[in-house]
Structures are given as C-alpha cells and as structure tokens.
Amino acid sequence: MAQNCDICGAEVGFLNKFRCQDGVICKKCYEIVSNHFATTITQMTLGELKRNYVKNVQPLDMGEGGFQATRKIGSFLLLDEKTQKVCILNNQKLTGRNTRPVIFPYSALKSFQLISQPQFSVEQLSALAADKTADTTIQGLSIRLYLTGNRTEEITIIPSSVRVSSFAFRRGLQIAKEILGCLADI
Ligand SMILES: [Zn+2]
C-alpha cells in the first residue's frame, strides 16, 4: 500500500522510506532533519523531527529584491509585479501535501496549460459548467507550468473528482480562469 511522508506528504516506497518512532518520512525530509544523514531517526518522534525540519530547512530563495506580493489569487498564486516574480503557494488544505512555496521570475515561465481528467479545453469546461443537464465527472483540475530548465510546477485547483454540475466545479473553474488570465499577463 502506498504511504506518504509524514512531513511533506510525498509518496514513500520501499527505497525511500525512513521510519521514526511514530511515523515515516521520505529521503528528502530525512536529509533535512538528520543534518545530511548525520543522525539516525528511529528513536525520534515525529514531533522532534518536525522541529528539526523547521530548524534545518533552507530559507526560501526569494531571489534578488525579495518578494512583496502585489497581486493574489486565493491561496494559489502570488505575484510580485515590481520585481516580476511568481509565487506558487502551498495549498496544503487542498492537496494534503505540505510542499513549500515555489518562487521564480517571470522570465522562467515558458508556457502553461490547464489540465483536467479527462482533458478538456477551457471553452469545453465552461460549456459544461453552464449546461445544467451535463452529467460529466472531472477527476481533478490543475494548471501545469512549464519553466526553464525542464522544470514543471503544478497548481492543483480541484484535487478529486467532481461533477461538472456542482458548485465546487464552477468555483474551481472560475479560479482556474483567473490564474490563467494572470499568467497570460506575465
Ligand atoms: Zn518528505
């Protein structure tokens, strides 16, 4: 059965799972809490590990000029229009994953795409949302950002399956459109 890291929420498996007294963590978090593998954690509690994590983790790289949000879309995205940077927020409530915010300059963004399961265009999704008789279910909605250096980032908007006739879907689609509009301005 798949397990998740009790610190960051990443999936852990046979090769990257490390046990402490009352939980499991991934290799990345293990490296951070153990000060680059300098200590073992089997006798430590998750509470202790989390305190170590906060103590040891590198501060976020804000880039030159820092980061001062001038535009915000829900708990998903911040822009610093002055220093021209994007911040993707950690939306833990939604994704259940405790990932850290990601900051990058406008210039790193190459393209972006709305991802749905099954894949529909924004227009098709809007038509579905407007159709009271539509009986389609979407397995999640997100926006994928393609960055320089072959990096991708994903903004999860709807993490699980929803009917297109639901309020949750209409609201999620509205937020997705706002984010797409915001990214298009960059
Ligand atoms: Zn982890």
Side-chain angles (χ1 to χ4, degrees), residues 5 8 26 29:
C5 170
C8 75
C26 73
C29 290

Side-chain angles (χ1 to χ4, degrees), residues 19-175:
R19 220 169 262 292
C20 66
Q21 261 184 37
D22 50 353
V24 293
I25 64 172
C26 73
K27 190 170 180 180
K28 240 169 66 186
C29 290
Y30 178 47
E31 181 173 7
I32 294 168
V33 299
S34 67
N35 238 328
H36 301 280
F37 311 112
T39 54
T40 56
I41 61 164
T42 49
Q43 298 304 315
M44 295 172 76
T45 65
L46 210 47
E48 290 171 314
L49 294 185
K50 283 181 178 168
R51 277 194 294 281
N52 276 0
Y53 186 92
V54 172
K55 210 167 65 191
N56 294 348
V57 76
Q58 291 233 332
L60 273 183
D61 182 4
M62 304 281 186
E64 205 173 321
F67 190 95
Q68 201 104 54
T70 58
R71 193 167 163 190
K72 178 173 195 252
I73 298 177
S75 47
F76 299 91
L77 191 75
L78 300 175
L79 291 188
D80 180 339
E81 294 157 304
K82 210 168 140 209
T83 61
Q84 308 225 308
K85 271 176 258 173
V86 181
C87 176
I88 299 174
L89 293 169
N90 154 23
N91 205 326
Q92 190 179 2
K93 250 200 332 226
L94 204 64
T95 62
R97 297 186 54 156
N98 179 24
T99 45
R100 307 180 77 207
V102 177
I103 295 176
F104 56 87
Y106 285 5
S107 56
L109 181 65
K110 292 202 305 198
S111 62
F112 51 91
Q113 186 190 3
L114 184 69
I115 307 278
S116 64
Q117 259 316 324
Q119 185 63 42
F120 287 111
S121 68
V122 182
E123 293 73 25
Q124 286 170 320
L125 289 172
S126 302
L128 283 171
D131 180 358
K132 295 271 187 293
T133 64
D135 190 29
T136 308
T137 300
I138 299 282
Q139 319 284 339
L141 190 69
S142 62
I143 293 173
R144 190 170 298 156
L145 294 87
Y146 300 91
L147 307 180
T148 50
N150 275 329
R151 278 203 304 149
T152 58
E153 293 292 342
E154 196 120 348
I155 304 174
T156 302
I157 299 161
I158 300 175
S160 49
S161 68
V162 285
R163 296 189 155 277
V164 294
S165 53
S166 68
F167 173 71
F169 175 73
R170 286 201 304 276
R171 188 168 156 271
L173 183 62
Q174 187 55 43
I175 291 167

